[in-house]
Amino acid sequence: MSNIQLIYDKDDQIILTALLMYLGNMFIPGAQKLPWWNTKGLILAALLHIGPVEFLYYWFHRALHHHFLYSRYHSHHHASIVTEPITSVIHPFAEEFVYFLLFSIPFLSLAIIRAGSIVIAVGYLVYIDFMNYMGHCNFEMVPNLIFRIFPPLKYLMYTPSFHSIHHTKFQANYSLFMPIYDYIYGTYDKTSDSLYEKSLKGREEMKTDVVHLTHLTSIQSVFHLRLGFASVASRPYISGLHLWIISPFSYLLVPVTWIFGTTFSIERNNFNNRSMETWVVPRYSFQYMAKLEKSTINRLIEKAILDAEKMGAKVLSLGLFNQGEKLNRYGEIYLSKNPRMKIKIVDGTGLAAALILNSIPEGTKRVLLIGKLNKLAYYLSLVLCQRKIQVETVQKELYEFLKLQLPQEMKDFMLLSDSYLSKVWLVGEGLRYTDQMKAAKDVHFIPYSQFPPKFVRKDCIYHSTPAMVVPKAFENLHSCENWLPRRVISAWRAAGIIHMLEKWETHECGEVVTPIDKVWHSALKHGFTPFKYTSEI
């Protein structure tokens, strides 16, 4: 069967789900005007799933493996020996219809006794889809910690490695999401536990040269990961109608970030016979703003650094909010806690500064610095003053700090101003709408932040966040890094790669900055070119 046929069969499930939910709401009285919450209904739904749904599915699944039904129906699903998420919805319509009847048991039962709720209806659908996709994703993502905390969970929750055995051995591990019935009826494969442990250790045994550490941004960004929707991940992350439609499901996944105990890999690339990975800290941007999350995030980052070192990584670069003065002194605290650590930590300040300086129009004599102070803002001010370019700011606190830190001979190029007349603005986090409205026509907004400013002026020029186009030899880069287009990576990610390729033996964290000329020429030498996109909206 062709791949095209397999792909389009997923529409059956989408259409049938919508149709049955609509009909249920129209003709079943107990399915209408549901309350948001019903504790009794939630308990009953859990019991109905553990009991009738899992039990009946187990025996129906075993029947599907009888040669008569297998050859006519279930072999369609088992065409994927090496599974992927789309495999989970590849079924003939008749088989899929039976699954829908099974999954309707909790819905119909709660409707009859009028114990349903919106949370149960939406939550159960999300649970089914999430567990189904996870079981077929073909890499182990369930942390061992949850089984150590609650050992009986092994009977109530399967893992991707557990279900992968079913797709390779066929006559074992028949359960839907809960292995309890495989244990009861003796179809549990004895190698399941060892494969699970081996899969978890596999990441440590894999070798990589450089790791870039990022995190989730907005609530909907979880679906922009390569693990989410490939079609969405292949385009720049721009909030649109399609993402707002799935927002309710995004919010339901937020608690998972508190449960998930480790970073996870979303991409693996190759360049000049060197391997590199991108790992995600399971935290959203808003969580980095919460003081209560600081210690947890630092623990996750530190563990990621040590795990990367075990894998043989020479460099780990810190992306987005994984670096900061208040969070971790731009990575310096990890060196203080692990003085014998060999892996180099890179915050990318040098390369980001080089890209920003090369974005400033030639002949510029003055720039306006506006936004929150960070390491990059200070370093840019230092280099601009060295080049005798006047740095203005309308923020008194920012001015006083920079004036105090700059060498005496450069302080004359630092100016506290009450005007917004400069044609070049270096903008950081905290740039307000009212600030932008004070800009003159044709002003260049050049961000020194890792996040782009909001576009509000149609008569001004907005530059991209510091980024580079990767060489043609850079392999397996199929997804977009946040808002950047395909085959463009952030300066912070590129800096780690350059650091590794040049075999530099120094860290770039804390107060240390790689000289801009040094990192700039090294980047160009390896085929990286500056991304010079500007937008006039």
Side-chain angles (χ1 to χ4, degrees):
M1 181 170 292
S2 71
N3 289 333
I4 294 177
Q5 287 176 304
L6 289 175
I7 290 172
Y8 276 102
D9 281 345
K10 72 181 187 297
D11 294 343
D12 293 348
Q13 182 176 353
I14 297 171
I15 297 170
L16 188 59
T17 300
L19 180 61
L20 292 179
M21 294 296 284
Y22 175 77
L23 292 174
N25 183 262
M26 286 289 292
F27 298 108
I28 301 176
Q32 300 167 3
K33 298 181 180 180
L34 295 176
W36 279 99
W37 182 262
N38 188 311
T39 304
K40 175 185 174 182
L42 184 64
I43 296 171
L44 286 173
L47 293 175
L48 287 167
H49 178 83
I50 297 171
V53 176
E54 288 280 347
F55 177 78
L56 293 173
Y57 176 91
Y58 173 83
W59 284 107
F60 177 64
H61 195 182
R62 288 193 65 171
L64 286 173
H65 279 261
H66 184 277
H67 65 84
F68 180 83
L69 293 177
Y70 185 84
S71 61
R72 289 166 173 77
Y73 296 99
H74 202 51
S75 59
H76 187 55
H77 177 71
H78 275 275
S80 299
I81 295 175
V82 178
T83 61
E84 53 188 44
I86 193 66
T87 307
S88 64
V89 292
I90 302 303
H91 301 286
F93 186 83
E95 182 181 333
E96 194 171 275
F97 187 76
V98 175
Y99 294 150
F100 273 85
L101 292 177
L102 290 175
F103 296 144
S104 70
I105 292 174
F107 290 110
L108 294 174
S109 300
L110 295 182
I112 292 170
I113 64 174
R114 297 184 181 275
S117 72
I118 294 174
V119 170
I120 295 172
V122 176
Y124 190 55
L125 286 175
V126 171
Y127 168 75
I128 292 170
D129 282 344
F130 178 80
M131 294 297 290
N132 204 8
Y133 297 144
M134 184 192 75
H136 292 85
C137 71
N138 199 37
F139 71 91
E140 193 52 71
M141 60 184 294
V142 181
N144 195 25
L145 177 65
I146 62 174
F147 295 113
R148 291 202 302 268
I149 294 174
F150 186 62
L153 190 62
K154 66 181 292 185
Y155 302 108
L156 302 176
M157 177 180 176
Y158 77 165
T159 64
S161 55
F162 174 92
H163 193 66
S164 70
I165 289 176
H166 177 72
H167 275 264
T168 54
K169 296 187 177 181
F170 300 99
Q171 302 297 323
N173 296 3
Y174 292 100
S175 292
L176 177 57
F177 308 137
M178 300 179 174
I180 183 171
Y181 293 106
D182 281 302
Y183 281 98
I184 292 174
Y185 295 109
T187 52
Y188 176 81
D189 191 275
K190 295 180 180 179
T191 65
S192 299
D193 289 340
S194 60
L195 179 62
Y196 171 68
E197 296 293 339
K198 184 179 178 181
S199 299
L200 289 176
K201 292 179 180 178
R203 175 169 149 175
E204 297 179 3
E205 294 172 356
M206 291 177 65
K207 298 295 181 182
T208 192
D209 294 293
V210 59
V211 170
H212 178 64
L213 194 62
T214 185
H215 62 77
L216 299 167
T217 54
S218 68
I219 296 296
Q220 296 91 359
S221 66
V222 65
F223 292 107
H224 188 255
L225 298 179
R226 195 172 180 177
L227 305 178
F229 294 112
S231 59
V232 175
S234 65
R235 296 191 295 269
Y237 177 60
I238 300 173
S239 183
L241 179 61
H242 64 293
L243 290 176
W244 283 109
I245 290 173
I246 59 177
S247 286
F249 301 99
S250 306
Y251 283 99
L252 288 170
L253 291 175
V254 171
V256 177
T257 64
W258 272 278
I259 299 171
F260 219 85
T262 185
T263 58
F264 56 94
S265 176
I266 58 166
E267 190 166 71
R268 187 175 178 87
N269 311 112
N270 293 286
F271 178 58
N272 288 352
N273 296 319
R274 300 297 181 92
S275 63
M276 48 210 69
E277 292 190 27
T278 299
W279 294 359
V280 174
V281 176
R283 292 294 185 272
Y284 296 89
S285 292
F286 74 87
Q287 291 173 288
Y288 282 76
M289 308 298 128
K291 292 182 179 179
L292 293 176
E293 284 284 319
K294 180 179 176 181
S295 60
T296 301
I297 290 172
N298 271 321
R299 187 164 60 249
L300 288 168
I301 295 174
E302 183 178 9
K303 183 179 183 300
I305 293 171
L306 298 176
D307 286 347
E309 185 171 48
K310 289 179 182 178
M311 293 175 61
K314 307 298 188 297
V315 176
L316 182 137
S317 55
L318 299 171
L320 301 181
F321 289 146
N322 287 320
Q323 54 167 284
E325 178 62 39
K326 293 182 179 179
L327 178 68
N328 51 28
R329 299 197 307 274
Y330 298 98
E332 189 177 38
I333 66 167
Y334 310 123
L335 298 183
S336 302
K337 294 176 68 175
N338 304 278
R340 297 183 180 180
M341 189 166 60
K342 294 182 179 179
I343 190 173
K344 306 305 175 189
I345 299 176
V346 172
D347 65 19
T349 301
L351 184 58
L355 285 161
I356 292 169
L357 292 168
N358 279 275
S359 298
I360 297 175
E362 196 171 335
T364 298
K365 298 298 182 182
R366 57 193 284 203
V367 300
L368 179 68
L369 184 70
I370 184 168
K372 292 181 180 179
L373 177 67
N374 59 22
K375 178 181 177 180
L376 180 54
Y378 168 72
Y379 189 66
L380 285 169
S381 302
L382 177 65
V383 175
L384 288 168
C385 290
Q386 286 176 340
R387 297 181 178 184
K388 299 184 178 181
I389 297 175
Q390 186 170 286
V391 179
E392 301 175 357
T393 182
V394 294
Q395 299 166 259
K396 187 176 181 181
E397 185 178 347
L398 179 61
Y399 167 77
E400 290 177 348
F401 178 86
L402 292 174
K403 192 83 170 180
L404 184 66
Q405 296 295 321
L406 289 172
Q408 185 63 40
E409 65 274 13
M410 300 178 192
K411 291 183 178 181
D412 291 340
F413 293 97
M414 192 73 214
L415 177 66
L416 179 62
S417 174
D418 58 359
S419 72
Y420 295 79
L421 298 178
S422 175
K423 286 290 187 178
V424 176
W425 288 28
L426 302 183
V427 300
E429 295 290 332
L431 178 69
R432 299 172 300 182
Y433 172 86
T434 53
D435 294 325
Q436 293 194 50
M437 296 309 295
K438 294 176 182 178
K441 183 180 179 181
D442 297 327
V443 159
H444 289 257
F445 291 110
I446 305 176
Y448 64 81
S449 58
Q450 298 219 28
F451 289 84
K454 290 184 178 180
F455 294 5
V456 299
R457 291 287 299 272
K458 294 182 178 181
D459 56 351
C460 292
I461 301 167
Y462 290 82
H463 291 244
S464 167
T465 51
M468 303 203 81
V469 181
V470 300
K472 290 183 179 180
F474 200 97
E475 300 175 359
N476 201 36
L477 189 60
H478 304 306
S479 58
C480 292
E481 184 178 347
N482 298 314
W483 45 85
L484 298 171
R486 289 273 291 275
R487 301 197 65 76
V488 176
I489 62 176
S490 68
W492 295 270
R493 181 178 175 184
I497 298 171
I498 303 303
H499 210 94
M500 178 271 297
L501 293 172
E502 291 293 320
K503 300 180 180 179
W504 290 330
E505 292 298 321
T506 56
H507 297 277
E508 186 182 28
C509 60
E511 297 181 357
V512 178
V513 178
T514 304
I516 57 174
D517 289 336
K518 177 181 178 181
V519 69
W520 178 253
H521 292 304
S522 296
L524 298 179
K525 180 180 73 174
H526 289 288
F528 291 83
T529 56
F531 178 57
K532 294 185 177 181
Y533 172 80
T534 58
S535 176
E536 299 182 53
I537 63 174

